[in-house]
Amino acid sequence: DTGVSQNPRHKITKRGQNVTFRCDPISEHNRLYWYRQTLGQGPEFLTYFQNEAQLEKSRLLSDRFSAERPKGSFSTLEIQRTEQGDSAMYLCASSFPGQTSNTGELFFGEGSRLTVL
Amino acid sequence: LAKTTQPISMDSYEGQEVNITCSHNNIATNDYITWYQQFPSQGPRFIIQGYKTKVTNEVASLFIPADRKSSTLSLPRVSLSDTAVYYCLVGDLSNFGNEKLTFGTGTRLTIIP
């Protein structure tokens, strides 16, 4: 499968614990995005990378959230001192805007569902 | 980014054609219109994109009137597997990746047997 891969798919943690999610984008894609989605809502943008550079962060990404993409390949999203309000689906997407026929299409993974007790 | 407005939900019977309309009154000259589909517990999936008039692919058609202030996603002969949430997004294609793609609440389409 050459799609976007996210791990773990499900994570249950207690409030105050740290969690880390990993995203492996489609190999030739140089852009990687993180979104958060809560029940009944559309995905909310968190941050995106072009190669290893983090180019934009949403105000939703508080100082408890950090994302990295150290070698321009996979990315991690860490949430420190989790709160119940962090419970959501965390979606990763990748794209390759350099293609001449590019539609700006984002390829999403299946998400990592976080439940904070 | 242009704001979009879609119906919250729609129901249709199997075999019918379904049309979902999205309003984007402040669409800019360089903006394209893109539709995504999302099934429960999955990430959104690109369906179709257009700038003006009509675009058709193997999955859907997209109708865009001359003023581009709205667009209609048309799903022919829907089946139960088309039950999903459909999102309409508007943005500058040349700037995709340099701007935050904003998803609204989408339209929850339920297909009835």
mmCIF file of all heavy atoms in Angstrom, chain A residues 9 31 33 35 37 40-43 45 48 55-56 89 91 97 102-106 108-110 113, chain B residues 34 36 38 41-46 49 87 93 95-106 108:
data_model
loop_
_atom_site.group_PDB
_atom_site.id
_atom_site.type_symbol
_atom_site.label_atom_id
_atom_site.label_comp_id
_atom_site.label_asym_id
_atom_site.label_seq_id
_atom_site.Cartn_x
_atom_site.Cartn_y
_atom_site.Cartn_z
ATOM 1 N N ARG A 9 -3.535 3.756 15.136
ATOM 2 C CA ARG A 9 -4.872 4.104 14.673
ATOM 3 C C ARG A 9 -5.756 4.559 15.824
ATOM 4 O O ARG A 9 -6.641 5.401 15.643
ATOM 5 C CB ARG A 9 -5.524 2.917 13.975
ATOM 6 C CG ARG A 9 -4.879 2.518 12.658
ATOM 7 C CD ARG A 9 -5.085 3.598 11.567
ATOM 8 N NE ARG A 9 -6.460 4.058 11.499
ATOM 9 C CZ ARG A 9 -7.444 3.410 10.885
ATOM 10 N NH1 ARG A 9 -7.196 2.258 10.286
ATOM 11 N NH2 ARG A 9 -8.673 3.901 10.864
ATOM 12 N N ARG A 31 4.954 17.773 0.620
ATOM 13 C CA ARG A 31 4.175 18.529 1.596
ATOM 14 C C ARG A 31 3.386 17.566 2.484
ATOM 15 O O ARG A 31 2.820 16.587 2.010
ATOM 16 C CB ARG A 31 3.239 19.509 0.899
ATOM 17 C CG ARG A 31 4.029 20.667 0.309
ATOM 18 C CD ARG A 31 3.171 21.806 -0.116
ATOM 19 N NE ARG A 31 3.994 22.914 -0.575
ATOM 20 C CZ ARG A 31 3.600 23.862 -1.392
ATOM 21 N NH1 ARG A 31 2.363 23.834 -1.861
ATOM 22 N NH2 ARG A 31 4.396 24.840 -1.735
ATOM 23 N N TYR A 33 0.663 17.559 5.939
ATOM 24 C CA TYR A 33 -0.275 18.375 6.719
ATOM 25 C C TYR A 33 -0.799 17.567 7.891
ATOM 26 O O TYR A 33 -0.979 16.349 7.807
ATOM 27 C CB TYR A 33 -1.484 18.772 5.861
ATOM 28 C CG TYR A 33 -1.159 19.450 4.562
ATOM 29 C CD1 TYR A 33 -0.724 18.708 3.468
ATOM 30 C CD2 TYR A 33 -1.300 20.819 4.411
ATOM 31 C CE1 TYR A 33 -0.422 19.318 2.262
ATOM 32 C CE2 TYR A 33 -1.013 21.446 3.202
ATOM 33 C CZ TYR A 33 -0.574 20.681 2.131
ATOM 34 O OH TYR A 33 -0.287 21.286 0.940
ATOM 35 N N TYR A 35 -4.194 17.664 10.437
ATOM 36 C CA TYR A 35 -5.517 18.204 10.718
ATOM 37 C C TYR A 35 -6.068 17.511 11.958
ATOM 38 O O TYR A 35 -5.687 16.384 12.287
ATOM 39 C CB TYR A 35 -6.489 17.940 9.554
ATOM 40 C CG TYR A 35 -6.346 18.863 8.370
ATOM 41 C CD1 TYR A 35 -5.340 18.663 7.427
ATOM 42 C CD2 TYR A 35 -7.224 19.916 8.178
ATOM 43 C CE1 TYR A 35 -5.212 19.506 6.331
ATOM 44 C CE2 TYR A 35 -7.108 20.768 7.074
ATOM 45 C CZ TYR A 35 -6.102 20.556 6.171
ATOM 46 O OH TYR A 35 -5.985 21.387 5.090
ATOM 47 N N GLN A 37 -9.891 16.536 13.757
ATOM 48 C CA GLN A 37 -11.319 16.471 13.480
ATOM 49 C C GLN A 37 -12.070 15.939 14.687
ATOM 50 O O GLN A 37 -11.748 14.861 15.196
ATOM 51 C CB GLN A 37 -11.602 15.589 12.261
ATOM 52 C CG GLN A 37 -13.067 15.599 11.824
ATOM 53 C CD GLN A 37 -13.281 14.868 10.517
ATOM 54 O OE1 GLN A 37 -12.539 13.949 10.171
ATOM 55 N NE2 GLN A 37 -14.311 15.256 9.766
ATOM 56 N N GLY A 40 -18.675 15.329 14.151
ATOM 57 C CA GLY A 40 -19.651 16.226 13.535
ATOM 58 C C GLY A 40 -19.077 17.463 12.893
ATOM 59 O O GLY A 40 -19.818 18.279 12.335
ATOM 60 N N GLN A 41 -17.754 17.604 12.970
ATOM 61 C CA GLN A 41 -17.106 18.773 12.386
ATOM 62 C C GLN A 41 -16.196 18.356 11.237
ATOM 63 O O GLN A 41 -15.768 17.205 11.147
ATOM 64 C CB GLN A 41 -16.278 19.501 13.446
ATOM 65 C CG GLN A 41 -17.083 19.969 14.636
ATOM 66 C CD GLN A 41 -18.142 20.977 14.255
ATOM 67 O OE1 GLN A 41 -17.884 21.929 13.511
ATOM 68 N NE2 GLN A 41 -19.355 20.776 14.744
ATOM 69 N N GLY A 42 -15.886 19.317 10.372
ATOM 70 C CA GLY A 42 -14.909 19.047 9.335
ATOM 71 C C GLY A 42 -13.501 19.111 9.902
ATOM 72 O O GLY A 42 -13.283 19.603 11.014
ATOM 73 N N PRO A 43 -12.529 18.615 9.155
ATOM 74 C CA PRO A 43 -11.144 18.687 9.620
ATOM 75 C C PRO A 43 -10.684 20.128 9.810
ATOM 76 O O PRO A 43 -11.008 20.999 9.002
ATOM 77 C CB PRO A 43 -10.371 18.010 8.484
ATOM 78 C CG PRO A 43 -11.366 17.139 7.796
ATOM 79 C CD PRO A 43 -12.662 17.877 7.892
ATOM 80 N N PHE A 45 -7.351 22.582 10.205
ATOM 81 C CA PHE A 45 -5.921 22.638 9.916
ATOM 82 C C PHE A 45 -5.125 22.893 11.191
ATOM 83 O O PHE A 45 -5.477 23.752 12.013
ATOM 84 C CB PHE A 45 -5.671 23.764 8.908
ATOM 85 C CG PHE A 45 -4.220 24.072 8.658
ATOM 86 C CD1 PHE A 45 -3.501 23.357 7.722
ATOM 87 C CD2 PHE A 45 -3.582 25.083 9.369
ATOM 88 C CE1 PHE A 45 -2.166 23.644 7.482
ATOM 89 C CE2 PHE A 45 -2.257 25.381 9.134
ATOM 90 C CZ PHE A 45 -1.544 24.661 8.184
ATOM 91 N N TYR A 48 1.512 22.543 8.606
ATOM 92 C CA TYR A 48 1.988 21.828 7.442
ATOM 93 C C TYR A 48 3.483 22.043 7.233
ATOM 94 O O TYR A 48 4.060 23.029 7.703
ATOM 95 C CB TYR A 48 1.157 22.173 6.199
ATOM 96 C CG TYR A 48 1.711 23.264 5.307
ATOM 97 C CD1 TYR A 48 2.488 22.947 4.191
ATOM 98 C CD2 TYR A 48 1.398 24.589 5.542
ATOM 99 C CE1 TYR A 48 2.950 23.937 3.346
ATOM 100 C CE2 TYR A 48 1.872 25.583 4.707
ATOM 101 C CZ TYR A 48 2.645 25.258 3.609
ATOM 102 O OH TYR A 48 3.113 26.235 2.779
ATOM 103 N N LEU A 55 6.057 25.282 7.810
ATOM 104 C CA LEU A 55 5.804 26.583 7.208
ATOM 105 C C LEU A 55 4.642 27.343 7.830
ATOM 106 O O LEU A 55 4.569 28.561 7.709
ATOM 107 C CB LEU A 55 5.580 26.433 5.699
ATOM 108 C CG LEU A 55 6.777 25.919 4.911
ATOM 109 C CD1 LEU A 55 6.505 25.971 3.416
ATOM 110 C CD2 LEU A 55 8.039 26.717 5.246
ATOM 111 N N GLU A 56 3.726 26.650 8.429
ATOM 112 C CA GLU A 56 2.598 27.340 9.028
ATOM 113 C C GLU A 56 2.016 26.528 10.169
ATOM 114 O O GLU A 56 1.983 25.298 10.099
ATOM 115 C CB GLU A 56 1.509 27.617 7.990
ATOM 116 C CG GLU A 56 0.381 28.512 8.515
ATOM 117 C CD GLU A 56 -0.486 29.091 7.413
ATOM 118 O OE1 GLU A 56 -0.159 28.899 6.225
ATOM 119 O OE2 GLU A 56 -1.492 29.719 7.752
ATOM 120 N N MET A 89 -9.917 12.971 16.223
ATOM 121 C CA MET A 89 -9.197 12.221 15.205
ATOM 122 C C MET A 89 -8.120 13.140 14.658
ATOM 123 O O MET A 89 -8.412 14.280 14.283
ATOM 124 C CB MET A 89 -10.152 11.798 14.085
ATOM 125 C CG MET A 89 -9.470 11.117 12.918
ATOM 126 S SD MET A 89 -9.051 9.411 13.283
ATOM 127 C CE MET A 89 -10.629 8.639 12.884
ATOM 128 N N LEU A 91 -5.641 13.723 11.703
ATOM 129 C CA LEU A 91 -5.483 13.300 10.312
ATOM 130 C C LEU A 91 -4.203 13.873 9.720
ATOM 131 O O LEU A 91 -3.867 15.029 9.943
ATOM 132 C CB LEU A 91 -6.663 13.790 9.476
ATOM 133 C CG LEU A 91 -8.023 13.171 9.760
ATOM 134 C CD1 LEU A 91 -9.137 14.014 9.174
ATOM 135 C CD2 LEU A 91 -8.091 11.761 9.193
ATOM 136 N N PRO A 97 2.634 19.407 -4.833
ATOM 137 C CA PRO A 97 2.155 20.487 -5.682
ATOM 138 C C PRO A 97 3.042 20.786 -6.870
ATOM 139 O O PRO A 97 2.698 21.584 -7.717
ATOM 140 C CB PRO A 97 2.105 21.698 -4.732
ATOM 141 C CG PRO A 97 3.108 21.381 -3.691
ATOM 142 C CD PRO A 97 3.067 19.899 -3.514
ATOM 143 N N ASN A 102 -1.163 19.240 -11.212
ATOM 144 C CA ASN A 102 -1.604 19.225 -9.812
ATOM 145 C C ASN A 102 -2.959 19.896 -9.624
ATOM 146 O O ASN A 102 -3.238 20.958 -10.179
ATOM 147 C CB ASN A 102 -0.567 19.950 -8.967
ATOM 148 C CG ASN A 102 -0.963 20.009 -7.516
ATOM 149 O OD1 ASN A 102 -1.184 18.981 -6.918
ATOM 150 N ND2 ASN A 102 -1.084 21.195 -6.967
ATOM 151 N N THR A 103 -3.767 19.260 -8.847
ATOM 152 C CA THR A 103 -5.072 19.812 -8.504
ATOM 153 C C THR A 103 -5.074 20.335 -7.079
ATOM 154 O O THR A 103 -6.097 20.756 -6.584
ATOM 155 C CB THR A 103 -6.160 18.727 -8.610
ATOM 156 O OG1 THR A 103 -5.830 17.656 -7.709
ATOM 157 C CG2 THR A 103 -6.271 18.191 -10.022
ATOM 158 N N GLY A 104 -3.943 20.292 -6.428
ATOM 159 C CA GLY A 104 -3.919 20.663 -5.024
ATOM 160 C C GLY A 104 -4.496 19.567 -4.154
ATOM 161 O O GLY A 104 -4.777 19.791 -2.984
ATOM 162 N N GLU A 105 -4.678 18.368 -4.738
ATOM 163 C CA GLU A 105 -5.305 17.280 -4.010
ATOM 164 C C GLU A 105 -4.482 16.870 -2.805
ATOM 165 O O GLU A 105 -3.272 16.681 -2.892
ATOM 166 C CB GLU A 105 -5.477 16.082 -4.939
ATOM 167 C CG GLU A 105 -6.078 14.855 -4.269
ATOM 168 C CD GLU A 105 -6.217 13.690 -5.233
ATOM 169 O OE1 GLU A 105 -5.954 13.877 -6.432
ATOM 170 O OE2 GLU A 105 -6.606 12.602 -4.778
ATOM 171 N N LEU A 106 -5.168 16.743 -1.690
ATOM 172 C CA LEU A 106 -4.564 16.200 -0.493
ATOM 173 C C LEU A 106 -4.916 14.729 -0.391
ATOM 174 O O LEU A 106 -6.063 14.353 -0.582
ATOM 175 C CB LEU A 106 -5.076 16.917 0.754
ATOM 176 C CG LEU A 106 -4.727 18.395 0.926
ATOM 177 C CD1 LEU A 106 -5.259 18.891 2.252
ATOM 178 C CD2 LEU A 106 -3.238 18.610 0.823
ATOM 179 N N PHE A 108 -5.199 11.862 2.204
ATOM 180 C CA PHE A 108 -5.306 11.695 3.650
ATOM 181 C C PHE A 108 -5.046 10.262 4.069
ATOM 182 O O PHE A 108 -5.379 9.306 3.351
ATOM 183 C CB PHE A 108 -6.705 12.085 4.137
ATOM 184 C CG PHE A 108 -6.938 13.564 4.240
ATOM 185 C CD1 PHE A 108 -7.348 14.282 3.135
ATOM 186 C CD2 PHE A 108 -6.749 14.227 5.444
ATOM 187 C CE1 PHE A 108 -7.572 15.647 3.228
ATOM 188 C CE2 PHE A 108 -6.967 15.582 5.549
ATOM 189 C CZ PHE A 108 -7.381 16.305 4.431
ATOM 190 N N GLY A 109 -4.489 10.121 5.280
ATOM 191 C CA GLY A 109 -4.431 8.825 5.916
ATOM 192 C C GLY A 109 -5.749 8.533 6.610
ATOM 193 O O GLY A 109 -6.694 9.327 6.546
ATOM 194 N N GLU A 110 -5.817 7.391 7.277
ATOM 195 C CA GLU A 110 -7.057 6.996 7.944
ATOM 196 C C GLU A 110 -7.203 7.609 9.327
ATOM 197 O O GLU A 110 -8.236 7.457 9.968
ATOM 198 C CB GLU A 110 -7.156 5.478 8.002
ATOM 199 C CG GLU A 110 -7.286 4.863 6.609
ATOM 200 C CD GLU A 110 -7.676 3.406 6.649
ATOM 201 O OE1 GLU A 110 -7.287 2.710 7.606
ATOM 202 O OE2 GLU A 110 -8.367 2.964 5.714
ATOM 203 N N ARG A 113 -7.076 8.071 16.147
ATOM 204 C CA ARG A 113 -8.123 8.537 17.064
ATOM 205 C C ARG A 113 -7.598 8.551 18.481
ATOM 206 O O ARG A 113 -7.145 7.520 18.992
ATOM 207 C CB ARG A 113 -9.360 7.651 16.974
ATOM 208 C CG ARG A 113 -10.495 8.139 17.890
ATOM 209 C CD ARG A 113 -11.805 7.420 17.620
ATOM 210 N NE ARG A 113 -12.319 7.687 16.284
ATOM 211 C CZ ARG A 113 -12.938 8.803 15.938
ATOM 212 N NH1 ARG A 113 -13.118 9.778 16.802
ATOM 213 N NH2 ARG A 113 -13.398 8.930 14.713
ATOM 214 N N THR B 34 -13.288 22.590 -5.101
ATOM 215 C CA THR B 34 -12.906 21.192 -4.932
ATOM 216 C C THR B 34 -13.876 20.515 -3.970
ATOM 217 O O THR B 34 -14.285 21.110 -2.974
ATOM 218 C CB THR B 34 -11.473 21.094 -4.367
ATOM 219 O OG1 THR B 34 -10.589 21.896 -5.146
ATOM 220 C CG2 THR B 34 -10.978 19.654 -4.388
ATOM 221 N N TYR B 36 -14.552 17.010 -1.588
ATOM 222 C CA TYR B 36 -13.997 15.832 -0.950
ATOM 223 C C TYR B 36 -15.147 15.006 -0.359
ATOM 224 O O TYR B 36 -16.190 15.541 0.017
ATOM 225 C CB TYR B 36 -13.040 16.209 0.182
ATOM 226 C CG TYR B 36 -11.657 16.633 -0.268
ATOM 227 C CD1 TYR B 36 -11.427 17.916 -0.744
ATOM 228 C CD2 TYR B 36 -10.588 15.741 -0.199
ATOM 229 C CE1 TYR B 36 -10.162 18.305 -1.159
ATOM 230 C CE2 TYR B 36 -9.315 16.126 -0.608
ATOM 231 C CZ TYR B 36 -9.109 17.399 -1.080
ATOM 232 O OH TYR B 36 -7.859 17.774 -1.491
ATOM 233 N N GLN B 38 -15.956 11.984 2.629
ATOM 234 C CA GLN B 38 -15.387 11.341 3.811
ATOM 235 C C GLN B 38 -16.341 10.298 4.368
ATOM 236 O O GLN B 38 -17.497 10.604 4.691
ATOM 237 C CB GLN B 38 -15.052 12.363 4.905
ATOM 238 C CG GLN B 38 -14.326 11.741 6.089
ATOM 239 C CD GLN B 38 -13.922 12.753 7.127
ATOM 240 O OE1 GLN B 38 -14.535 13.805 7.273
ATOM 241 N NE2 GLN B 38 -12.860 12.442 7.872
ATOM 242 N N SER B 41 -14.636 7.280 10.101
ATOM 243 C CA SER B 41 -13.342 6.743 10.533
ATOM 244 C C SER B 41 -12.320 6.657 9.403
ATOM 245 O O SER B 41 -11.395 5.834 9.454
ATOM 246 C CB SER B 41 -13.515 5.345 11.156
ATOM 247 O OG SER B 41 -14.348 5.434 12.282
ATOM 248 N N GLN B 42 -12.487 7.477 8.384
ATOM 249 C CA GLN B 42 -11.499 7.570 7.319
ATOM 250 C C GLN B 42 -11.192 9.034 7.043
ATOM 251 O O GLN B 42 -11.967 9.925 7.392
ATOM 252 C CB GLN B 42 -12.000 6.905 6.034
ATOM 253 C CG GLN B 42 -12.182 5.404 6.128
ATOM 254 C CD GLN B 42 -12.507 4.789 4.781
ATOM 255 O OE1 GLN B 42 -12.216 5.349 3.737
ATOM 256 N NE2 GLN B 42 -13.119 3.618 4.811
ATOM 257 N N GLY B 43 -10.052 9.283 6.407
ATOM 258 C CA GLY B 43 -9.744 10.633 5.990
ATOM 259 C C GLY B 43 -10.527 11.018 4.749
ATOM 260 O O GLY B 43 -10.997 10.151 4.012
ATOM 261 N N PRO B 44 -10.686 12.314 4.493
ATOM 262 C CA PRO B 44 -11.388 12.753 3.277
ATOM 263 C C PRO B 44 -10.675 12.282 2.016
ATOM 264 O O PRO B 44 -9.459 12.082 2.010
ATOM 265 C CB PRO B 44 -11.345 14.286 3.390
ATOM 266 C CG PRO B 44 -11.144 14.563 4.836
ATOM 267 C CD PRO B 44 -10.290 13.436 5.331
ATOM 268 N N ARG B 45 -11.463 12.132 0.966
ATOM 269 C CA ARG B 45 -10.925 11.679 -0.311
ATOM 270 C C ARG B 45 -11.373 12.636 -1.402
ATOM 271 O O ARG B 45 -12.549 12.992 -1.486
ATOM 272 C CB ARG B 45 -11.423 10.272 -0.611
ATOM 273 C CG ARG B 45 -10.912 9.639 -1.890
ATOM 274 C CD ARG B 45 -11.385 8.192 -1.978
ATOM 275 N NE ARG B 45 -12.810 8.098 -2.234
ATOM 276 C CZ ARG B 45 -13.373 7.856 -3.431
ATOM 277 N NH1 ARG B 45 -12.606 7.716 -4.474
ATOM 278 N NH2 ARG B 45 -14.678 7.775 -3.553
ATOM 279 N N PHE B 46 -10.434 13.066 -2.232
ATOM 280 C CA PHE B 46 -10.720 13.989 -3.338
ATOM 281 C C PHE B 46 -11.715 13.352 -4.298
ATOM 282 O O PHE B 46 -11.594 12.188 -4.650
ATOM 283 C CB PHE B 46 -9.405 14.278 -4.063
ATOM 284 C CG PHE B 46 -9.523 15.097 -5.312
ATOM 285 C CD1 PHE B 46 -9.334 16.467 -5.263
ATOM 286 C CD2 PHE B 46 -9.772 14.506 -6.546
ATOM 287 C CE1 PHE B 46 -9.404 17.225 -6.416
ATOM 288 C CE2 PHE B 46 -9.852 15.266 -7.697
ATOM 289 C CZ PHE B 46 -9.667 16.627 -7.635
ATOM 290 N N GLN B 49 -12.758 18.479 -9.071
ATOM 291 C CA GLN B 49 -12.367 19.882 -8.975
ATOM 292 C C GLN B 49 -12.716 20.589 -10.274
ATOM 293 O O GLN B 49 -12.624 19.998 -11.347
ATOM 294 C CB GLN B 49 -10.870 20.007 -8.705
ATOM 295 C CG GLN B 49 -10.363 21.429 -8.524
ATOM 296 C CD GLN B 49 -8.876 21.440 -8.278
ATOM 297 O OE1 GLN B 49 -8.078 21.345 -9.205
ATOM 298 N NE2 GLN B 49 -8.491 21.533 -7.015
ATOM 299 N N TYR B 87 -17.659 17.521 1.365
ATOM 300 C CA TYR B 87 -17.158 18.851 1.679
ATOM 301 C C TYR B 87 -16.867 19.618 0.394
ATOM 302 O O TYR B 87 -16.250 19.088 -0.539
ATOM 303 C CB TYR B 87 -15.863 18.772 2.485
ATOM 304 C CG TYR B 87 -15.990 18.143 3.844
ATOM 305 C CD1 TYR B 87 -15.665 16.804 4.032
ATOM 306 C CD2 TYR B 87 -16.407 18.888 4.942
ATOM 307 C CE1 TYR B 87 -15.770 16.222 5.289
ATOM 308 C CE2 TYR B 87 -16.500 18.305 6.192
ATOM 309 C CZ TYR B 87 -16.189 16.985 6.357
ATOM 310 O OH TYR B 87 -16.293 16.411 7.594
ATOM 311 N N LEU B 93 -5.713 27.573 -6.544
ATOM 312 C CA LEU B 93 -4.974 26.367 -6.879
ATOM 313 C C LEU B 93 -3.471 26.605 -6.832
ATOM 314 O O LEU B 93 -2.709 25.761 -6.367
ATOM 315 C CB LEU B 93 -5.395 25.881 -8.268
ATOM 316 C CG LEU B 93 -4.754 24.570 -8.728
ATOM 317 C CD1 LEU B 93 -5.212 23.430 -7.836
ATOM 318 C CD2 LEU B 93 -5.120 24.282 -10.169
ATOM 319 N N ASN B 95 -1.931 28.413 -4.946
ATOM 320 C CA ASN B 95 -1.517 28.666 -3.573
ATOM 321 C C ASN B 95 -1.810 27.496 -2.647
ATOM 322 O O ASN B 95 -1.527 27.563 -1.460
ATOM 323 C CB ASN B 95 -2.255 29.904 -3.049
ATOM 324 C CG ASN B 95 -1.406 30.712 -2.085
ATOM 325 O OD1 ASN B 95 -0.183 30.638 -2.135
ATOM 326 N ND2 ASN B 95 -2.039 31.463 -1.212
ATOM 327 N N PHE B 96 -2.353 26.428 -3.189
ATOM 328 C CA PHE B 96 -2.656 25.268 -2.349
ATOM 329 C C PHE B 96 -1.365 24.798 -1.709
ATOM 330 O O PHE B 96 -0.372 24.591 -2.370
ATOM 331 C CB PHE B 96 -3.255 24.141 -3.173
ATOM 332 C CG PHE B 96 -4.741 24.270 -3.379
ATOM 333 C CD1 PHE B 96 -5.422 23.375 -4.183
ATOM 334 C CD2 PHE B 96 -5.468 25.262 -2.767
ATOM 335 C CE1 PHE B 96 -6.783 23.481 -4.387
ATOM 336 C CE2 PHE B 96 -6.833 25.381 -2.962
ATOM 337 C CZ PHE B 96 -7.495 24.476 -3.778
ATOM 338 N N GLY B 97 -1.405 24.641 -0.425
ATOM 339 C CA GLY B 97 -0.198 24.279 0.292
ATOM 340 C C GLY B 97 0.386 25.502 0.949
ATOM 341 O O GLY B 97 1.023 25.412 1.981
ATOM 342 N N ASN B 98 0.140 26.662 0.405
ATOM 343 C CA ASN B 98 0.564 27.895 1.055
ATOM 344 C C ASN B 98 -0.593 28.531 1.799
ATOM 345 O O ASN B 98 -0.471 29.614 2.325
ATOM 346 C CB ASN B 98 1.108 28.873 0.023
ATOM 347 C CG ASN B 98 2.402 28.365 -0.577
ATOM 348 O OD1 ASN B 98 3.206 27.743 0.097
ATOM 349 N ND2 ASN B 98 2.593 28.620 -1.857
ATOM 350 N N GLU B 99 -1.706 27.895 1.780
ATOM 351 C CA GLU B 99 -2.831 28.384 2.558
ATOM 352 C C GLU B 99 -3.501 27.188 3.205
ATOM 353 O O GLU B 99 -3.350 26.060 2.753
ATOM 354 C CB GLU B 99 -3.828 29.125 1.673
ATOM 355 C CG GLU B 99 -4.451 28.264 0.578
ATOM 356 C CD GLU B 99 -5.367 29.047 -0.325
ATOM 357 O OE1 GLU B 99 -5.113 30.227 -0.529
ATOM 358 O OE2 GLU B 99 -6.324 28.470 -0.827
ATOM 359 N N LYS B 100 -4.196 27.472 4.271
ATOM 360 C CA LYS B 100 -4.836 26.387 4.993
ATOM 361 C C LYS B 100 -6.112 25.988 4.258
ATOM 362 O O LYS B 100 -7.004 26.795 4.102
ATOM 363 C CB LYS B 100 -5.172 26.856 6.405
ATOM 364 C CG LYS B 100 -3.971 27.326 7.206
ATOM 365 C CD LYS B 100 -4.376 28.155 8.392
ATOM 366 C CE LYS B 100 -4.887 29.514 7.989
ATOM 367 N NZ LYS B 100 -5.071 30.404 9.145
ATOM 368 N N LEU B 101 -6.169 24.755 3.803
ATOM 369 C CA LEU B 101 -7.414 24.275 3.234
ATOM 370 C C LEU B 101 -8.437 24.186 4.346
ATOM 371 O O LEU B 101 -8.227 23.483 5.327
ATOM 372 C CB LEU B 101 -7.227 22.903 2.590
ATOM 373 C CG LEU B 101 -6.875 22.877 1.115
ATOM 374 C CD1 LEU B 101 -6.931 21.458 0.597
ATOM 375 C CD2 LEU B 101 -7.796 23.767 0.307
ATOM 376 N N THR B 102 -9.541 24.914 4.196
ATOM 377 C CA THR B 102 -10.548 24.999 5.246
ATOM 378 C C THR B 102 -11.749 24.162 4.879
ATOM 379 O O THR B 102 -12.401 24.416 3.859
ATOM 380 C CB THR B 102 -10.972 26.459 5.468
ATOM 381 O OG1 THR B 102 -9.832 27.229 5.807
ATOM 382 C CG2 THR B 102 -11.996 26.542 6.583
ATOM 383 N N PHE B 103 -12.014 23.182 5.713
ATOM 384 C CA PHE B 103 -13.198 22.348 5.549
ATOM 385 C C PHE B 103 -14.322 22.925 6.404
ATOM 386 O O PHE B 103 -14.112 23.257 7.546
ATOM 387 C CB PHE B 103 -12.914 20.912 6.012
ATOM 388 C CG PHE B 103 -11.973 20.146 5.129
ATOM 389 C CD1 PHE B 103 -10.610 20.352 5.196
ATOM 390 C CD2 PHE B 103 -12.456 19.183 4.245
ATOM 391 C CE1 PHE B 103 -9.739 19.641 4.392
ATOM 392 C CE2 PHE B 103 -11.590 18.463 3.438
ATOM 393 C CZ PHE B 103 -10.231 18.698 3.515
ATOM 394 N N GLY B 104 -15.502 23.024 5.850
ATOM 395 C CA GLY B 104 -16.666 23.402 6.656
ATOM 396 C C GLY B 104 -17.206 22.168 7.356
ATOM 397 O O GLY B 104 -16.498 21.187 7.545
ATOM 398 N N THR B 105 -18.480 22.219 7.720
ATOM 399 C CA THR B 105 -19.095 21.064 8.388
ATOM 400 C C THR B 105 -19.576 20.026 7.378
ATOM 401 O O THR B 105 -19.908 18.917 7.745
ATOM 402 C CB THR B 105 -20.269 21.482 9.273
ATOM 403 O OG1 THR B 105 -21.175 22.257 8.492
ATOM 404 C CG2 THR B 105 -19.777 22.323 10.444
ATOM 405 N N GLY B 106 -19.607 20.383 6.104
ATOM 406 C CA GLY B 106 -19.965 19.435 5.063
ATOM 407 C C GLY B 106 -21.438 19.102 5.017
ATOM 408 O O GLY B 106 -22.250 19.580 5.815
ATOM 409 N N ARG B 108 -23.949 15.872 5.110
ATOM 410 C CA ARG B 108 -24.067 14.446 5.425
ATOM 411 C C ARG B 108 -25.141 13.841 4.527
ATOM 412 O O ARG B 108 -26.328 14.116 4.700
ATOM 413 C CB ARG B 108 -24.419 14.256 6.896
ATOM 414 C CG ARG B 108 -24.480 12.794 7.330
ATOM 415 C CD ARG B 108 -24.644 12.703 8.850
ATOM 416 N NE ARG B 108 -23.538 13.357 9.546
ATOM 417 C CZ ARG B 108 -22.367 12.790 9.806
ATOM 418 N NH1 ARG B 108 -22.144 11.535 9.432
ATOM 419 N NH2 ARG B 108 -21.423 13.450 10.450
#
